Amino acid sequence: MPAAASDPVWGLLARVLDPEIPVLSIVDLGIVREVRREGDGRLRVAITPTYSGCPATEVIRKLVRSALDAGGYADAILEEALSPPWTSDWLTPAGREKLRAFGIAPPEETVTSPRQILRPPAVSCPRCGSRDTARVSEFGSTPCKAHYRCSACAEPFDYFKCL
């Protein structure tokens, strides 16, 4: 999704942090869908919420608007792109590594069927790497995460769900 790293708008958006997981930018998260210039020269930025009920969506919209305004793009058009829906596959490799370093296990598999959501996946502990882990709760610190515990190192951790 991101254009060249030298694009100043993508660079600006890469500094907008997710309010629920502040080690990730909205670019790391993969919710910046598009940045393009319209025929009249105006900038258009499309973002996709991680899911329809995400409580951070409005906060993210305001953060993006503030960043665009501060960056000299006050006339930019900011829109939500709802189709196709966001998927955890859109997390960047750097974003996945940032999650792991922060102590949150990143999604490990692509969801190809709704049935996958019903069974807890095998999850590697972000601290010791063991796959001897167990889901403690379907929900962690936010609805998009589940709470796990590692049997090897006994540490609790959140798992960013595959969506």
Side-chain angles (χ1 to χ4, degrees), residues 9-19 21-29 31-32 59-68:
V9 178
W10 279 97
L12 180 72
L13 296 171
R15 291 189 297 276
V16 176
L17 299 179
D18 177 73
I21 310 171
V23 297
L24 292 180
S25 76
I26 61 171
V27 172
D28 291 328
L29 200 50
I31 66 171
V32 178
V59 174
I60 291 170
R61 178 180 263 289
K62 288 177 182 177
L63 292 171
V64 170
R65 178 82 267 159
S66 293
L68 291 170

